Amino acid sequence: MPHATTRSLDGTVVAITGASAGIGAATAYSLVDAGARVAVSARRADRLDKIVEDLGDDKVVPVVGDVRDPGLSDALVKAAVDKWGRLDTMVANAGIGAYGGILDLDDDTLTEMVQTNYLGTVWSARSAVKQFRAQNSGGDIIVVSSVAGFRGGADEAVYAGTKHAQVGLAGSLDRELRAEGTRVTLICPAGTATEFAIGAGRTEGSPDLDAYLRPEDVAHTIRVVLEQPRSVRTTVWQLWSTEQQS
């Protein structure tokens, strides 16, 4: 009986936003382990430098900046193309969260969150599509969203709204770009034990985080999606740890 063959990631070129820690950093390490080359962006240069130090400057190129700036996504793609000649995948991972009721957070905090989580994803997708079309090739766009994009909690309405926006964006992009050979995948993890999850009474090392997903769990999911043969596409993947309520 024939078996499905996985797609090798050896030599593929991936851009990852929000790569200084958590899911983004874990994804960089996982994909390089699979043979990929990664262009990574974040606001913290020292964190990106550590990834380069660990994995090698032949496999990683860092770009420092804020994903709210559309120019950052273009610069990230350009860095990948300048170093390795092409782009195969964009992982739009950058995001921030904040807990509280609708009146609990100030205007600047909410504006930063909406722009980072939604517009940052839009800019990343646009930059990737421009490059895929310039190459006359398809590619992959992976949007790291959240299960909150389907049902937000009572203390995260604005955050959940940004995640719902990502869900809508990814679904529409998949329908727009599929004919060009570009797959758009939405990865929606539940709570993950990262710096992102600290808050609402949780601190680093908090036992509450023991039940959460690990960044490596989500990175593995991204790797599995990319290793699917090009004849297959996954549009939505939700994941929880076995101890989390779905």
Side-chain angles (χ1 to χ4, degrees):
M1 185 173 180
H3 297 279
T5 56
T6 58
R7 170 179 172 243
S8 172
L9 300 184
D10 190 44
T12 61
V13 179
V14 182
I16 307 170
T17 67
S20 60
I23 293 169
T27 299
Y29 284 87
S30 179
L31 295 184
V32 168
D33 180 68
R37 302 294 180 259
V38 296
V40 292
S41 73
R43 292 181 290 186
R44 294 176 288 187
D46 59 327
R47 296 289 189 91
L48 297 181
D49 289 343
K50 179 64 165 58
I51 296 174
V52 176
E53 179 183 337
D54 287 348
L55 298 178
D57 61 7
D58 59 326
K59 299 174 182 176
V60 184
V61 60
V63 178
V64 178
D66 192 323
V67 73
R68 290 177 292 171
D69 174 8
L72 173 69
S73 295
D74 285 341
L76 181 63
V77 170
K78 184 176 187 301
V81 174
D82 286 349
K83 193 169 184 70
W84 297 297
R86 62 181 293 105
L87 180 75
D88 299 293
T89 300
M90 170 64 75
V91 180
N93 167 74
I96 57 176
Y99 297 101
I102 192 64
L103 299 181
D104 292 341
L105 303 171
D106 62 57
D107 295 350
D108 289 344
T109 298
L110 293 180
T111 298
E112 180 183 15
M113 182 164 57
V114 171
Q115 291 179 344
T116 299
N117 294 0
Y118 182 61
L119 286 179
T121 303
V122 171
W123 306 146
S124 299
R126 282 165 59 88
S127 296
V129 170
K130 282 187 285 187
Q131 182 58 35
F132 295 159
R133 288 176 176 170
Q135 293 170 183
N136 195 28
S137 70
D140 280 278
I141 298 172
I142 292 186
V143 175
V144 179
S145 183
S146 167
V147 294
F150 299 92
R151 182 183 182 277
D155 63 345
E156 58 179 4
V158 178
Y159 170 75
T162 68
K163 297 290 133 175
H164 275 72
Q166 286 182 306
V167 170
L169 174 69
S172 293
L173 282 176
D174 178 68
R175 288 182 282 276
E176 175 187 346
L177 302 173
R178 180 176 59 85
E180 302 176 21
T182 292
R183 307 185 296 188
V184 181
T185 304
L186 190 67
I187 304 292
C188 297
T192 306
T194 66
E195 295 173 1
F196 186 97
I198 303 300
R202 292 185 294 270
T203 58
E204 189 170 355
S206 170
D208 291 350
L209 297 177
D210 291 343
Y212 276 38
L213 292 162
R214 320 312 295 177
E216 294 75 19
D217 297 328
V218 186
H220 174 71
T221 301
I222 292 170
R223 176 170 169 173
V224 169
V225 165
L226 291 177
E227 287 178 337
Q228 292 177 136
R230 294 294 305 174
S231 58
V232 175
R233 76 192 208 277
T234 296
T235 56
V236 181
W237 192 327
Q238 296 185 52
L239 59 156
W240 293 262
S241 78
T242 55
E243 297 180 60
Q244 290 171 314
Q245 177 62 46
S246 62

